[in-house]
Amino acid sequence: MKILVSEYVLSTYQDHYLELLPEAYAMVITLAETLSTAGCEVYLTISNKIPRVKWSKVVTVNNEEEYYYLIKQARDRFDWVILIAPPLELIKLSKMVNNKFFGPPHRLVEIFSDKCSAYLALEKCEIKTPKTILVEKSLPEYSYLSDLNPPYVVKPALLAGSECVYFARNKSEVVEFARRAMKCDPRGRVLIQEYVKGVHGSISVIYGRNGYLFYSLNLQFVTLSENRFKYMGGTLPIRNNVFREKVEVVLNKLYKCYPELKGYIGLDIVWSENDVYVIEVNPRFTTSIIGICEIFPRV
């Protein structure tokens, strides 16, 4: 089986994403080694600005325009394409490779990559998620926030990870941080959520034809400094029967709502008073795959 593993940051070398290079490199090398051990022929897309990589089968990319052209061609040249990219880019790329994408269908990539539509999808599935309002075009009035209880989390609708995500203690901070987050978001849209107090974690799940095949419950180390959240790493797997039962309820509800789910999905969660709140859904491989492949090499 011939597989292309393509990570956007490693392939295009965009200045505003360069801090993500170490984890991007770790993910693609981990996936390449794991799939190669399983008997697959694995290729990577790598920017010509990256001096050296520990892999022999490399497709060199000279610029972003060429990258999109190569991904479009990959649909006919590979059995599967694994894509790792920020939300807006992932939506565009998954549409290009269509059914060769090693993950959920493009429709679900669109839904879960956008934090607003993901929130609505989670509510539809009756999965607990923080109360949320969407702000677009103009900054929120104080009255617009009356349905939310402080403190708040303010974040762009279409950015990955903790980039431009703020912790606001009061409504005046919400307005200021919404202004900043709007500048970060490609479409100028911002989500304001109630902050859920608890333990930060994630769920890494692989869906197959009849539901989930495997999942790992992971702990995340998240710091708060100057009203900004920062991901500092994590540990896995977490073994806790109470959390395990709650997590399996979430995974089954998600599959019942969207039975076309397939491949790897990453869910950011908070454990709060013996319950699980899903914060975000990532329809692609996440950094947890590095630890999973080391601990469970046969997955």
Side-chain angles (χ1 to χ4, degrees):
M1 185 178 293
K2 194 175 179 182
I3 298 178
L4 177 67
V5 178
S6 184
E7 201 285 333
Y8 177 82
V9 176
L10 271 180
S11 303
T12 63
Y13 207 80
Q14 300 290 307
D15 289 343
H16 51 288
Y17 287 132
L18 292 186
E19 65 180 24
L20 300 176
L21 277 175
E23 67 181 55
Y25 179 79
M27 276 194 287
V28 299
I29 292 298
T30 296
L31 287 168
E33 290 176 344
T34 302
L35 292 167
S36 181
T37 300
C40 300
E41 184 181 2
V42 183
Y43 288 77
L44 308 179
T45 54
I46 301 292
S47 168
N48 63 350
K49 296 178 182 177
I50 305 291
R52 185 173 56 186
V53 295
K54 192 180 69 173
W55 200 254
S56 59
K57 295 182 173 66
V58 169
V59 179
T60 302
V61 182
N62 294 307
N63 53 57
E64 188 177 23
E65 183 180 353
E66 183 182 61
Y67 175 63
Y68 282 110
Y69 172 79
L70 290 170
I71 292 299
K72 193 172 183 179
Q73 297 299 309
R75 183 176 56 195
D76 300 320
R77 297 178 181 177
F78 292 89
D79 297 303
W80 292 104
V81 179
I82 292 176
L83 296 169
I84 304 171
L88 196 61
E89 288 82 0
L90 184 64
I91 291 170
K92 184 176 180 179
L93 293 166
S94 68
K95 186 175 183 179
M96 287 180 172
V97 299
N98 199 9
N99 61 351
K100 293 293 184 73
F101 177 48
F102 194 82
H106 176 70
R107 181 180 77 89
L108 297 190
V109 173
E110 282 191 302
I111 289 173
F112 292 122
S113 294
D114 185 308
K115 293 179 176 62
C116 180
S117 58
Y119 164 74
L120 296 174
L122 292 169
E123 280 212 318
K124 168 192 167 185
C125 300
E126 298 182 348
I127 294 172
K128 286 194 174 182
T129 189
K131 195 170 184 180
T132 301
I133 59 174
L134 174 68
V135 174
E136 51 186 339
K137 297 181 181 178
S138 60
L139 294 174
E141 300 287 342
Y142 283 4
S143 59
Y144 192 60
L145 305 173
S146 59
D147 288 340
L148 301 182
N149 296 314
Y152 314 90
V153 175
V154 182
K155 58 188 176 184
L158 272 172
L159 280 190
S162 57
E163 189 177 2
C164 295
V165 178
Y166 297 92
F167 178 80
R169 294 174 177 83
N170 52 56
K171 293 178 180 178
S172 62
E173 287 188 345
V174 168
V175 174
E176 170 58 23
F177 296 146
R179 181 185 63 80
R180 298 184 196 179
M182 276 183 175
K183 292 181 179 179
C184 294
D185 190 79
R187 296 175 181 170
R189 298 157 66 239
V190 170
L191 268 66
I192 303 169
Q193 296 181 320
E194 288 185 354
Y195 175 73
V196 178
K197 187 177 181 180
V199 178
H200 292 264
S202 68
I203 308 168
S204 303
V205 56
I206 298 174
Y207 280 103
R209 189 172 298 173
N210 298 309
Y212 62 84
L213 304 173
F214 167 91
Y215 73 88
S216 172
L217 195 53
N218 319 312
L219 180 66
Q220 291 183 342
F221 303 130
V222 178
T223 62
L224 179 63
S225 177
E226 297 180 350
N227 296 91
R228 296 287 302 275
F229 292 100
K230 187 173 183 181
Y231 174 71
M232 303 297 291
T235 186
L236 62 91
I238 302 301
R239 293 181 172 89
N240 181 296
N241 285 335
V242 174
F243 290 152
R244 178 180 60 81
E245 291 171 3
K246 298 284 187 181
V247 163
E248 289 179 359
V249 169
V250 168
L251 298 181
N252 284 323
K253 281 184 175 181
L254 193 60
Y255 185 76
K256 185 177 179 181
C257 277
Y258 298 102
E260 64 269 43
L261 274 171
K262 65 177 181 179
Y264 183 105
I265 307 289
L267 293 86
D268 291 332
I269 62 174
V270 171
W271 293 295
S272 180
E273 297 181 355
N274 288 333
D275 219 333
V276 175
Y277 287 79
V278 177
I279 309 300
E280 294 178 12
V281 182
N282 299 296
R284 55 167 176 79
F285 283 96
T286 60
T287 51
S288 295
I289 194 62
I290 301 167
I292 290 170
C293 287
E294 184 172 342
I295 296 172
F296 308 107
R298 295 179 64 87
V299 169

